[in-house]
Amino acid sequence: MSRVFTGKVILYLLVLLVCDLCLTPVVRTSALRPTLLPLLIPYAAFEWHPKRILPVAFLVGLLVDLTGAQPLGVATVAFVGAAWIFKIAVQKTERHWLLIQLVLTFSYLFVASAAALALSLWLGNFSAVSNAVVGTLAGSSLVSTAFFPLFVRGTRLWFRDAALLKQCELF
Amino acid sequence: MRSKQRPYYFLAIVVPPLLFALQSAGIAEPLRAGALTLLKPALLAGHAVVRVVDVVGDHWVLFWETFQKRSEDRSRRVELESKLVGLEELARENERLRQLLDFRSALGQKSIAARVVARDSFPWRHTVILDKGTRHGVRKDMAVIVAEGLVGRVLEPGPETARVILLIDPDSRVSALASESRAQGVVAGDGSAALRMLYLEMDGGVAVGEGVLTSGVGSLFPKGILVGKIAALAREDSGLHLMARVEPVVKFSKLEEVLCLESSPAK
């Protein structure tokens, strides 16, 4: 396989998962709170290589599915499907500009969450979409995006061998 | 390069339908329960960290002023005030547990005490994870309460943990009645911190300020557990019924210890 499926990456994913389940609910503004685990997908796109997006999205979705209340597979399909589109967008843009990174990150988080919500509705696991639910979805994506620069710094510290994972772009 | 990408496409295309198949085969719940059982030590550690963060957050100003002072007498005060902060937190926990114990004794029903150790990772779902499961007597659809009122019900019990769906979750439904007019309705979450009471009769005599209790209809929740207070009334879109906005009595963002009721509700 690739360097994505290493012990260090999986351990980091588990740390992020525990943070999302236990710590980030404490950091909330009304109903909005950041979710850190999905931020690894934009990080993989911008700091590693767009090719790493799909396997990272798969792992993130699988972890969310195993610990969430939605039907199994919903988060995996949503994150991987949105990651496919995200990968195309990242490859077409200047991904080293912070503003573009933030816009793309917010778009990805919103689309992935909306896709998960739509899938849950379609499968009958979720019965009511109200303005409050859509507002929470958008607001949480925004709050998570605001955390992205800090998340990048922390993740760079964790993957001290991040330089090894970066691939040189040949012109 | 292409051969390295094929495994990714395999994962992305083949595995998700397999996961959906697991869902319909009824294996999803045990799989999820097993995952949470494995994660339980990490969740308990995370919960312990959260409690420390809460204490520091609440007393940040006190610590900042204290650490700015440098003299020996002041450093002695730092030590004493730090101990005081810890003792105050212990006293608060003691009071919370005493209230829960008094409430549990007065209940007249068997109950299982549990701690909330984690919350759902999707912000638009409102579920929590308890540190007790089937091994401790927790069963599916058990009512979950605190001293203030109804919290929700057990959705997915595992061997070591249990997922509880809160009243404020959009998928949550409770048969309820107004405490004075006795008008019957259904309390549902709407994804925000408030609740809605639906299907109220137009001439039911419901008034703002009335309490809302569980009605016991449907045998899921015992009768008479406080849910909230009616804050506003409006006509439903269909025009056939009234809808009430209900302020819940329970602070769902501050849940720490809860009780799972063992016995079935009285009809």
Side-chain angles (χ1 to χ4, degrees):
Chain A
M1 275 279 183
S2 77
R3 286 180 180 157
V4 172
F5 293 95
T6 61
K8 204 167 186 180
V9 172
I10 291 169
L11 181 62
Y12 191 56
L13 283 168
L14 290 174
V15 167
L16 292 178
L17 178 68
V18 172
C19 285
D20 272 352
L21 293 176
C22 300
L23 296 179
T24 57
V26 175
V27 182
R28 59 165 63 228
T29 314
S30 67
L32 305 179
R33 62 176 173 94
T35 47
L36 301 181
L37 188 57
L39 287 179
L40 195 62
I41 300 162
Y43 179 87
F46 301 134
E47 296 289 317
W48 294 343
H49 194 274
K51 273 198 293 194
R52 305 287 178 250
I53 298 176
L54 286 186
V56 171
F58 174 77
L59 285 176
V60 167
L62 195 62
L63 283 176
V64 171
D65 268 332
L66 286 174
T67 55
Q70 67 284 349
L72 207 60
V74 162
T76 307
V77 170
F79 281 123
V80 170
W84 218 303
I85 304 166
F86 183 60
K87 182 181 166 191
I88 297 168
V90 166
Q91 285 173 328
K92 300 275 185 224
T93 56
E94 180 49 63
R95 58 194 169 108
H96 298 295
W97 288 4
L98 178 63
L99 184 63
I100 291 178
Q101 288 183 357
L102 292 176
V103 168
L104 286 176
T105 301
F106 171 78
S107 306
Y108 173 75
L109 293 176
F110 183 78
V111 167
S113 300
L117 177 61
L119 271 172
S120 295
L121 281 169
W122 182 59
L123 290 170
N125 175 253
F126 201 66
S127 56
V129 178
S130 62
N131 290 337
V133 170
V134 176
T136 302
L137 208 141
S140 294
S141 301
L142 200 61
V143 170
S144 302
T145 304
F147 269 80
F148 187 64
L150 199 62
F151 177 85
V152 166
R153 284 177 188 270
T155 309
R156 276 181 189 158
L157 279 175
W158 178 276
F159 295 110
R160 276 174 293 175
D161 59 346
L164 293 175
L165 291 171
K166 252 190 192 163
Q167 294 197 7
C168 297
E169 293 178 9
L170 299 175
F171 293 93
Chain B
M1 196 62 86
R2 263 203 177 168
S3 61
K4 283 184 184 174
Q5 288 185 353
R6 258 191 223 136
Y8 304 151
Y9 290 110
F10 172 80
L11 286 174
I13 295 167
V14 174
V15 174
L18 278 178
L19 291 173
F20 280 125
L22 280 177
Q23 182 74 36
S24 58
I27 303 173
E29 278 195 24
L31 192 66
R32 202 173 268 156
L36 283 174
T37 301
L38 288 173
L39 267 179
K40 186 179 173 182
L43 295 180
L44 290 174
H47 180 67
V49 170
V50 165
R51 292 182 66 180
V52 169
V53 167
D54 269 345
V55 169
V56 173
D58 286 345
H59 295 86
W60 171 251
V61 172
L62 178 64
F63 279 140
W64 180 249
E65 286 175 359
T66 305
F67 282 130
Q68 276 183 328
K69 297 163 187 169
R70 296 175 193 274
S71 67
E72 259 186 44
D73 291 339
R74 286 166 180 168
S75 66
R76 173 74 181 142
R77 200 164 82 189
V78 165
E79 191 188 330
L80 290 171
E81 282 169 347
S82 301
K83 283 184 182 171
L84 186 63
V85 162
L87 289 172
E88 281 174 354
E89 175 59 24
L90 279 175
R92 273 200 293 271
E93 185 184 14
N94 192 20
E95 180 56 33
R96 232 175 25 241
L97 290 172
R98 188 199 304 281
Q99 275 183 3
L100 201 59
L101 189 61
D102 287 344
F103 177 65
R104 189 182 181 185
S105 307
L107 257 182
Q109 284 179 318
K110 278 191 182 174
S111 56
I112 302 163
R115 278 183 196 270
V116 173
V117 293
R119 292 180 179 260
D120 203 290
S121 43
F122 272 130
W124 40 269
R125 290 309 304 253
H126 296 276
T127 65
V128 296
I129 295 167
L130 306 182
D131 65 346
K132 299 264 174 77
T134 52
R135 210 168 60 82
H136 310 91
V138 177
R139 300 282 175 262
K140 189 175 162 72
D141 289 336
M142 269 184 171
V144 178
I145 61 174
V146 289
E148 291 85 3
L150 184 65
V151 169
R153 63 180 172 90
V154 175
L155 188 63
E156 286 177 8
E160 293 288 333
T161 57
R163 183 182 300 278
V164 171
I165 180 169
L166 302 179
L167 280 187
I168 52 175
D169 187 274
D171 261 354
S172 175
R173 300 284 183 275
V174 179
S175 297
L177 54 87
S179 57
E180 285 160 30
S181 60
R182 315 305 284 181
Q184 300 250 351
V186 172
V187 170
D190 67 353
S192 66
L195 302 167
R196 297 171 300 158
M197 190 168 181
L198 307 169
Y199 311 122
L200 290 166
E201 295 290 335
M202 297 286 277
D203 55 356
V206 181
V208 172
E210 273 195 78
V212 175
L213 310 167
T214 53
S215 63
V217 173
S219 320
L220 210 52
F221 297 100
K223 186 175 180 177
I225 303 178
L226 190 57
V227 171
K229 200 161 71 167
I230 293 177
L233 285 168
R235 194 176 280 204
E236 278 185 17
D237 290 340
S238 63
L240 299 174
H241 297 100
L242 283 179
M243 178 178 69
R245 189 166 62 83
V246 177
E247 288 295 328
V249 286
V250 174
K251 296 261 184 291
F252 290 101
S253 57
K254 305 264 184 209
L255 284 175
E256 298 210 28
E257 294 89 14
V258 299
L259 292 176
C260 302
L261 295 183
E262 272 192 36
S263 52
S264 55
K267 299 206 180 180

